[in-house]
Amino acid sequence: MKFSAIAVFSAITGMVAATPQYRPTTTYPTVSNPWAPGYSSPVQPTGPKVTCLTTDTANTLIKGFASLLTNYNNATAGALLASDFTDTSDSINQLAGYPIGSTTFPSKQAFQLGQGSQPKIDFTVLSVDEVTCTNVAFRWSAGVGKKLFPIKGINSFVASNLNGTDQGWQLKTMYSEFNSLGWFLNVGGQIIPPSS
Ligand SMILES: *[C@@H]1O[C@H](CO)[C@@H](O)[C@H](O)[C@H]1NC(C)=O
Ligand SMILES: *[C@@H]1O[C@H](CO)[C@@H](O)[C@H](O)[C@H]1NC(C)=O
């Protein structure tokens, strides 16, 4: 029996010599979808591919969105909003002086810049009225500025999924309308009613 240097080293140290590592000759595609060919990740999905929201995953998205209004965090926004996120609201357009009918925040970055610089508000979800496969409708009430009036609103959003797991849900398209006149008065606006 011959003794190789590695065998003697292993015998002395009790260590097993490492398997030689070879450079792969194939270039694997970079993919984020675990069901795509070539996907490799330390986090492997368990269970079947998720294609529909549940009450729980819908609530997680609503809570995340609410947190951006009550206590904005840019990293939370980065994780919560899909890369093609848009937010459309004539209530906000009117308050902000944006063109009526336009997409209020046409990109994720626009939302991060716009919402990130807003004063904090109190935000209470009154009811989650509908959760379908990818769409959610909920109603809310907010305490804004001088809180002369509680502001009620209705949001509806479309969610998309990054990687087919319950953790992969993001907000893709948000629609929001609310009592913008009450908001305007709460933040010190003044109104001259039309003369009769
Ligand atoms: C917020 O995050 C985005 C990326 O998601 C980045 O472009 C932007 O600079 C960040 N803003 C601040 C104020 O950190
Ligand atoms: C799916 O995406 C979420 C959010 O980025 C991440 O937390 C989770 O680990 C991902 N799951 C897999 C299996 O890649």
Side-chain angles (χ1 to χ4, degrees):
M1 188 175 175
K2 286 187 177 174
F3 291 92
S4 74
I6 289 175
V8 171
F9 178 76
S10 301
I12 293 167
T13 62
M15 289 168 68
V16 178
T19 313
Q21 298 292 305
Y22 297 104
R23 203 174 275 277
T25 52
T26 319
T27 308
Y28 293 100
T30 306
V31 289
S32 56
N33 174 357
W35 282 268
Y39 178 84
S40 94
S41 163
V43 190
Q44 288 303 316
T46 56
K49 179 174 183 174
V50 169
T51 53
C52 282
L53 289 164
T54 63
T55 308
D56 281 353
T57 49
N59 279 330
T60 301
L61 290 175
I62 294 171
K63 275 187 196 156
F65 182 72
S67 83
L68 299 180
L69 309 178
T70 58
N71 190 16
Y72 182 83
N73 178 284
N74 203 43
T76 303
L80 183 71
L81 308 180
S83 55
D84 57 351
F85 176 79
T86 62
D87 189 346
T88 303
S89 166
D90 270 348
S91 305
I92 300 175
N93 285 340
Q94 195 109 52
L95 283 169
Y98 299 159
I100 304 303
S102 68
T103 304
T104 308
F105 298 118
S107 69
K108 176 173 180 169
Q109 198 191 11
F111 180 92
Q112 286 179 300
L113 286 172
Q115 185 56 40
S117 58
Q118 287 301 303
K120 295 174 184 184
I121 61 169
D122 296 338
F123 191 83
T124 307
V125 175
L126 300 175
S127 167
V128 179
D129 292 330
E130 190 75 27
V131 177
T132 70
C133 207
T134 56
N135 292 36
V136 177
F138 67 100
R139 293 181 286 122
W140 50 269
S141 177
V144 176
K146 295 193 253 180
K147 299 185 185 174
L148 302 171
F149 312 100
I151 306 304
K152 283 188 182 175
I154 300 176
N155 275 33
S156 163
F157 67 80
V158 183
S160 57
N161 198 304
L162 269 178
N163 58 20
T165 71
D166 277 337
Q167 292 72 44
W169 287 108
Q170 292 183 313
L171 298 177
K172 174 182 164 67
T173 314
M174 181 64 78
Y175 300 98
S176 174
E177 298 300 345
F178 54 88
N179 175 5
S180 58
L181 186 54
W183 190 299
F184 181 72
L185 293 169
N186 278 353
V187 298
Q190 298 202 344
I191 290 163
I192 303 167
S195 51
S196 50

